[in-house]
Amino acid sequence: MAKGENAGSSVGPRAYGGVTRWPFVEVIGTHHRRAEAMTSPHRSYPYDAYYDHLDRSALLEMLTTSAGYDAEDLADLTRAELIDTLIGSAVEAEYHAEELGEDYPLRRLSEPQDLSVLREIRRADGHHVYWCWMDDWETAVESLNGDLNEVTWGLPAGVRAGDVIVTAVNSTPALLACVEQVSRVEGGTVFVEPRWTTDQPVPVHHVEASIAVKLPRTTTVLADATGDALLDHSIDLLEHPRPVFVVAGDCTPDGRRTAGSAVHALTLLQDAELRCAACGTDHGTFELHYFRPRHFDLQLEIQDHLDDAAQLCLDCHLLCHSPSLKRLREFVRPVPLTCPECGAGNPREYIWGMPVDPETVDSDAFILGGCVLPGGPAPGYQCRACETDFSVVRADVFHGSAF
């Protein structure tokens, strides 16, 4: 649980041992013109991949049954105006959802996170709370669940035992990620214990609203009163969660997107194992895939996004979006067996036990291992080139999952 030292005046990698409104508020401020949409020949909202494929009859059905409009009030509207009215009603519903506050029907993890460790972390008298702001949210979150030495955290010099470090990641929106207590400092290395990493969404702007202070977007030491309030109100926000609305879902296998990155960050915080949910690989680059029939941005509460998404490797993500016979064949083709020692292929396979007729066994393809198994795992193959014995563990990594 050590933190190394950076060059210059900052303490580096650590190792384990007016409030900003939501993006959709800006959309409402620009496009919230339902009355105008019902009288203007011009569209108030951009093309919609779903609604613009519906005819007048289907649009009227949706407006009267789902949105609660009276058919007589819609009779004189053009098809474009019907689409604008439908989109506008959805925007109003999103805005109303935010206004519900504590009355919003939240869904959170079935087993709430134990906050006892977080309650133990307090600033000692004469010490400070350090605010660690990480712009590279993905690398920071992955490191918080793995090796903290892989990241330069940029903490200021002067960190002492008894200080507290609060880490926030610059996702969209920004989230609190980790709270740590400095236990000791030796030769420029900072050791932290206890350490608490959240698996619940605590947006930075919710904390700012609670403590009535705009937190810096850089790593720095906080005023004592601000630091203490930050720790207290973070616990309160976890005990009494509020809805966190995020615009996300425009899912394409072309790299990380800024919009909705908090969904991906929280996925990594909730699942410490960094691996593909489809094929099980634990190395390479991972992207978030939304299992929805249409991939475009939606404004939903963050846990609703999480329930629709999974972390995939690049190959599996590409297969979800651009399936082809060639890619499918490459994906399901068995990996050729190769020797772990020399890399040669086409090994001979062991047969354990006594065949009915040993004379009929093809000695070029098989090796008779006998009836007595060796201590430990029995080898399954032998390399023809270097005669190394080895085994291969086969597993169904799909577990019935569907793309």
Side-chain angles (χ1 to χ4, degrees):
M1 297 182 290
K3 299 183 180 180
E5 185 174 9
N6 292 336
S9 61
S10 63
V11 177
R14 35 191 235 253
Y16 178 67
V19 179
T20 302
R21 299 293 301 278
W22 294 112
F24 75 82
V25 174
E26 299 177 6
V27 174
I28 291 171
T30 304
H31 300 298
H32 190 229
R33 302 192 298 270
R34 182 171 65 84
E36 179 183 340
M38 297 177 71
T39 57
S40 170
H42 304 292
R43 289 285 293 273
S44 295
Y45 296 96
Y47 172 86
D48 183 274
Y50 178 66
Y51 294 134
D52 276 272
H53 281 79
L54 300 178
D55 63 11
R56 182 179 180 82
S57 175
L59 292 168
L60 285 169
E61 180 71 15
M62 294 183 71
L63 283 165
T64 54
T65 58
S66 300
Y69 283 88
D70 192 313
E72 293 182 1
D73 295 334
L74 304 172
D76 294 332
L77 298 187
T78 66
R79 179 176 173 275
E81 289 168 345
L82 290 174
I83 293 173
D84 272 342
T85 303
L86 194 55
I87 297 174
S89 66
V91 172
E92 288 184 45
E94 293 170 355
Y95 188 65
H96 175 65
E98 189 206 35
E99 291 180 326
L100 288 175
E102 295 182 358
D103 294 329
Y104 186 85
L106 275 180
R107 194 191 95 77
R108 289 292 181 259
L109 296 180
S110 57
E111 296 183 4
Q113 193 171 14
D114 184 3
L115 301 181
S116 59
V117 174
L118 181 59
R119 291 191 180 95
E120 295 175 4
I121 302 177
R122 284 292 178 267
R123 178 183 64 86
D125 290 341
H127 293 78
H128 303 291
V129 173
Y130 286 86
W131 175 251
C132 183
W133 179 262
M134 299 301 296
D135 281 317
D136 188 351
W137 62 266
E138 188 168 7
T139 301
V141 171
E142 290 176 1
S143 298
L144 288 171
N145 281 331
D147 185 2
L148 297 181
N149 287 311
E150 295 180 356
V151 177
T152 300
W153 300 92
L155 292 170
V159 177
R160 298 178 297 156
D163 291 339
V164 175
I165 301 170
V166 179
T167 300
V169 294
N170 191 21
S171 54
T172 305
L175 299 174
L176 256 61
C178 185
V179 181
E180 304 158 298
Q181 185 104 46
V182 178
S183 56
R184 69 183 193 278
V185 180
E186 296 179 357
T189 299
V190 179
F191 294 84
V192 291
E193 180 70 27
R195 179 169 176 268
W196 181 87
T197 302
T198 184
D199 63 4
Q200 300 295 322
V202 181
V204 171
H205 80 271
H206 279 192
V207 179
E208 291 174 326
S210 297
I211 65 176
V213 173
K214 179 72 173 179
L215 293 166
R217 266 49 178 175
T218 185
T219 298
T220 186
V221 61
L222 298 176
D224 290 347
T226 301
D228 292 341
L230 170 62
L231 295 175
D232 291 336
H233 285 272
S234 297
I235 294 176
D236 182 67
L237 288 170
L238 287 161
E239 291 179 330
H240 305 95
R242 305 174 186 174
V244 181
F245 293 99
V246 176
V247 176
D250 185 8
C251 180
T252 55
D254 56 1
R256 185 178 63 185
R257 298 180 67 248
T258 300
S261 55
V263 182
H264 195 177
L266 191 57
T267 300
L268 295 170
L269 288 169
Q270 288 187 354
D271 187 359
E273 286 190 331
L274 189 62
R275 62 175 62 247
C276 176
C279 70
T281 184
D282 59 358
H283 61 276
T285 302
F286 299 92
E287 296 175 346
L288 200 65
H289 177 68
Y290 293 88
F291 291 86
R292 296 169 181 163
R294 300 183 304 278
H295 297 293
F296 51 80
D297 280 340
L298 297 173
Q299 180 186 287
L300 298 173
E301 210 282 323
I302 191 168
Q303 189 62 50
D304 293 333
H305 280 304
L306 282 165
D307 294 339
D308 289 347
Q311 187 173 243
L312 300 179
C313 66
L314 292 179
D315 288 338
C316 289
H317 199 192
L318 183 62
L319 186 62
C320 287
H321 285 272
S322 304
S324 66
L325 184 58
K326 178 181 178 182
R327 285 201 179 103
L328 185 60
R329 284 173 173 168
E330 291 175 349
F331 191 85
V332 302
R333 182 178 296 131
V335 178
L337 290 173
T338 57
C339 174
E341 187 68 27
C342 69
N346 192 27
R348 293 196 298 169
E349 185 174 358
Y350 268 96
I351 295 178
W352 294 98
M354 185 58 65
V356 175
D357 187 358
E359 298 297 330
T360 62
V361 175
D362 183 356
S363 60
D364 183 60
F366 300 96
I367 298 176
L368 295 178
C371 297
V372 180
L373 293 174
Y381 301 91
Q382 185 180 88
C383 178
R384 297 174 185 270
C386 67
E387 297 186 347
T388 295
D389 291 335
F390 63 95
S391 297
V392 175
V393 178
R394 301 179 184 272
D396 177 11
V397 299
F398 292 95
H399 301 294
S401 298
F403 291 110

